[in-house]
Tab-separated table of all heavy atoms in Angstrom:
chain	number	residue	atom	x	y	z
A	1395	MET	N	11.565	3.268	4.664
A	1395	MET	CA	12.835	3.616	4.043
A	1395	MET	C	12.703	3.450	2.529
A	1395	MET	O	12.157	2.469	2.044
A	1395	MET	CB	13.932	2.704	4.589
A	1395	MET	CG	15.289	3.002	3.987
A	1395	MET	SD	16.631	2.032	4.698
A	1395	MET	CE	16.713	2.732	6.320
A	1400	THR	N	16.878	-3.708	-8.218
A	1400	THR	CA	16.887	-4.276	-9.557
A	1400	THR	C	17.626	-5.612	-9.503
A	1400	THR	O	18.427	-5.841	-8.603
A	1400	THR	CB	17.522	-3.308	-10.587
A	1400	THR	OG1	17.258	-3.767	-11.898
A	1400	THR	CG2	19.006	-3.151	-10.375
A	1407	PRO	N	28.900	-18.625	-12.670
A	1407	PRO	CA	28.843	-19.109	-11.280
A	1407	PRO	C	28.894	-17.949	-10.286
A	1407	PRO	O	29.438	-16.879	-10.572
A	1407	PRO	CB	30.097	-19.978	-11.147
A	1407	PRO	CG	30.684	-20.120	-12.501
A	1407	PRO	CD	30.085	-19.074	-13.374
A	1410	ALA	N	32.317	-16.286	-9.685
A	1410	ALA	CA	32.766	-15.328	-10.707
A	1410	ALA	C	32.100	-13.974	-10.509
A	1410	ALA	O	32.745	-12.924	-10.647
A	1410	ALA	CB	32.476	-15.867	-12.103
A	1415	PHE	N	33.203	-8.142	-8.289
A	1415	PHE	CA	33.011	-6.955	-7.464
A	1415	PHE	C	34.190	-6.698	-6.535
A	1415	PHE	O	34.663	-5.569	-6.440
A	1415	PHE	CB	31.730	-7.070	-6.622
A	1415	PHE	CG	30.475	-6.853	-7.399
A	1415	PHE	CD1	29.747	-7.931	-7.877
A	1415	PHE	CD2	30.015	-5.572	-7.658
A	1415	PHE	CE1	28.582	-7.734	-8.604
A	1415	PHE	CE2	28.857	-5.361	-8.387
A	1415	PHE	CZ	28.135	-6.451	-8.858
A	1431	ALA	N	41.545	-1.158	-3.670
A	1431	ALA	CA	42.003	-2.361	-2.973
A	1431	ALA	C	40.960	-3.465	-3.102
A	1431	ALA	O	39.833	-3.218	-3.550
A	1431	ALA	CB	42.234	-2.058	-1.492
A	1435	VAL	N	35.742	-6.511	4.821
A	1435	VAL	CA	34.848	-5.902	5.809
A	1435	VAL	C	35.577	-4.800	6.574
A	1435	VAL	O	36.739	-4.949	6.947
A	1435	VAL	CB	34.297	-6.972	6.776
A	1435	VAL	CG1	33.469	-6.325	7.882
A	1435	VAL	CG2	33.451	-7.989	6.022
A	1442	SER	N	37.091	4.611	-8.897
A	1442	SER	CA	37.363	5.720	-9.816
A	1442	SER	C	36.741	5.464	-11.178
A	1442	SER	O	36.742	4.344	-11.678
A	1442	SER	CB	38.874	5.884	-10.009
A	1442	SER	OG	39.503	6.161	-8.798
A	1448	GLY	N	35.951	11.032	-12.107
A	1448	GLY	CA	35.144	10.964	-10.892
A	1448	GLY	C	35.638	9.895	-9.946
A	1448	GLY	O	36.255	8.912	-10.362
A	1454	VAL	N	33.018	-1.008	3.182
A	1454	VAL	CA	32.457	-2.358	3.123
A	1454	VAL	C	31.919	-2.715	4.511
A	1454	VAL	O	32.656	-2.700	5.492
A	1454	VAL	CB	33.519	-3.382	2.664
A	1454	VAL	CG1	32.917	-4.779	2.597
A	1454	VAL	CG2	34.116	-2.980	1.314
A	1472	ASP	N	23.500	11.794	4.090
A	1472	ASP	CA	22.518	10.988	3.359
A	1472	ASP	C	23.186	9.740	2.799
A	1472	ASP	O	23.047	9.428	1.623
A	1472	ASP	CB	21.875	11.808	2.240
A	1472	ASP	CG	20.683	11.095	1.615
A	1472	ASP	OD1	20.067	10.244	2.283
A	1472	ASP	OD2	20.379	11.377	0.438
A	1478	ILE	N	24.264	-6.255	-2.442
A	1478	ILE	CA	24.313	-7.033	-3.672
A	1478	ILE	C	24.197	-8.497	-3.248
A	1478	ILE	O	25.090	-9.028	-2.589
A	1478	ILE	CB	25.611	-6.788	-4.456
A	1478	ILE	CG1	25.724	-5.306	-4.816
A	1478	ILE	CG2	25.662	-7.673	-5.711
A	1478	ILE	CD1	27.074	-4.893	-5.376
A	1487	GLN	N	24.684	-20.321	-13.285
A	1487	GLN	CA	23.656	-19.288	-13.389
A	1487	GLN	C	23.483	-18.634	-12.027
A	1487	GLN	O	23.330	-19.324	-11.013
A	1487	GLN	CB	22.308	-19.865	-13.827
A	1487	GLN	CG	22.252	-20.223	-15.284
A	1487	GLN	CD	20.818	-20.477	-15.728
A	1487	GLN	OE1	19.883	-20.475	-14.929
A	1487	GLN	NE2	20.642	-20.685	-17.015
A	1490	VAL	N	21.462	-11.972	-9.611
A	1490	VAL	CA	22.136	-10.889	-8.904
A	1490	VAL	C	21.100	-9.801	-8.648
A	1490	VAL	O	20.471	-9.292	-9.573
A	1490	VAL	CB	23.328	-10.327	-9.713
A	1490	VAL	CG1	24.052	-9.247	-8.916
A	1490	VAL	CG2	24.280	-11.450	-10.111
A	1493	LYS	N	20.060	-3.814	-4.076
A	1493	LYS	CA	19.138	-2.951	-3.332
A	1493	LYS	C	19.948	-1.797	-2.769
A	1493	LYS	O	20.966	-2.008	-2.125
A	1493	LYS	CB	18.492	-3.699	-2.168
A	1493	LYS	CG	17.522	-4.764	-2.568
A	1493	LYS	CD	16.911	-5.406	-1.332
A	1493	LYS	CE	16.009	-6.549	-1.707
A	1493	LYS	NZ	15.444	-7.213	-0.518
A	1508	ASN	N	1.613	16.721	3.877
A	1508	ASN	CA	1.288	17.889	3.065
A	1508	ASN	C	2.046	17.851	1.741
A	1508	ASN	O	2.617	18.837	1.318
A	1508	ASN	CB	1.625	19.167	3.830
A	1508	ASN	CG	0.855	19.256	5.130
A	1508	ASN	OD1	-0.344	19.038	5.149
A	1508	ASN	ND2	1.565	19.536	6.208
A	1516	GLU	N	11.003	20.186	-6.897
A	1516	GLU	CA	11.608	19.311	-5.903
A	1516	GLU	C	11.165	17.868	-6.132
A	1516	GLU	O	11.948	16.942	-6.046
A	1516	GLU	CB	11.228	19.743	-4.480
A	1516	GLU	CG	11.918	21.001	-4.025
A	1516	GLU	CD	11.457	21.412	-2.635
A	1516	GLU	OE1	10.256	21.271	-2.324
A	1516	GLU	OE2	12.321	21.869	-1.868
A	1528	LYS	N	18.068	3.764	-10.339
A	1528	LYS	CA	17.574	2.488	-10.877
A	1528	LYS	C	18.215	2.207	-12.231
A	1528	LYS	O	18.687	1.095	-12.484
A	1528	LYS	CB	16.049	2.540	-10.996
A	1528	LYS	CG	15.417	1.385	-11.701
A	1528	LYS	CD	15.121	0.250	-10.785
A	1528	LYS	CE	14.273	-0.802	-11.489
A	1528	LYS	NZ	13.987	-1.933	-10.650
A	1529	ALA	N	18.278	3.210	-13.084
A	1529	ALA	CA	18.895	3.037	-14.407
A	1529	ALA	C	20.378	2.717	-14.270
A	1529	ALA	O	20.916	1.879	-15.002
A	1529	ALA	CB	18.692	4.294	-15.255
A	1530	GLY	N	21.051	3.372	-13.319
A	1530	GLY	CA	22.477	3.123	-13.108
A	1530	GLY	C	22.758	1.693	-12.680
A	1530	GLY	O	23.671	1.043	-13.187
A	1535	LEU	N	24.510	-3.872	-13.994
A	1535	LEU	CA	24.254	-5.304	-14.116
A	1535	LEU	C	24.315	-5.771	-15.564
A	1535	LEU	O	24.787	-6.880	-15.855
A	1535	LEU	CB	22.899	-5.660	-13.499
A	1535	LEU	CG	22.830	-5.618	-11.974
A	1535	LEU	CD1	21.405	-5.879	-11.491
A	1535	LEU	CD2	23.809	-6.592	-11.340
A	1544	SER	N	30.054	-12.904	-22.089
A	1544	SER	CA	30.614	-12.766	-23.438
A	1544	SER	C	32.014	-12.173	-23.489
A	1544	SER	O	32.560	-11.985	-24.567
A	1544	SER	CB	29.680	-11.888	-24.288
A	1544	SER	OG	28.376	-12.436	-24.318
A	1545	GLY	N	32.575	-11.815	-22.332
A	1545	GLY	CA	33.920	-11.251	-22.300
A	1545	GLY	C	33.999	-9.813	-22.783
A	1545	GLY	O	35.088	-9.301	-23.037
A	1546	ILE	N	32.868	-9.142	-22.883
A	1546	ILE	CA	32.839	-7.751	-23.347
A	1546	ILE	C	33.190	-6.842	-22.176
A	1546	ILE	O	32.516	-6.842	-21.154
A	1546	ILE	CB	31.462	-7.386	-23.920
A	1546	ILE	CG1	31.173	-8.247	-25.140
A	1546	ILE	CG2	31.383	-5.896	-24.249
A	1546	ILE	CD1	29.738	-8.157	-25.634
A	1548	SER	N	34.118	-3.397	-22.801
A	1548	SER	CA	34.059	-1.990	-23.226
A	1548	SER	C	32.671	-1.375	-23.082
A	1548	SER	O	32.515	-0.169	-23.281
A	1548	SER	CB	34.509	-1.880	-24.685
A	1548	SER	OG	33.670	-2.660	-25.523
A	1552	GLY	N	30.819	3.166	-22.672
A	1552	GLY	CA	29.966	3.778	-23.688
A	1552	GLY	C	28.949	4.752	-23.130
A	1552	GLY	O	28.347	5.520	-23.859
Side-chain angles (χ1 to χ4, degrees):
M1395 180 176 291
T1400 192
F1415 284 97
V1435 175
S1442 300
V1454 180
D1472 190 25
I1478 301 170
Q1487 285 193 355
V1490 183
K1493 291 182 184 178
N1508 300 313
E1516 287 178 322
K1528 172 87 170 179
L1535 288 175
S1544 303
I1546 297 169
S1548 60

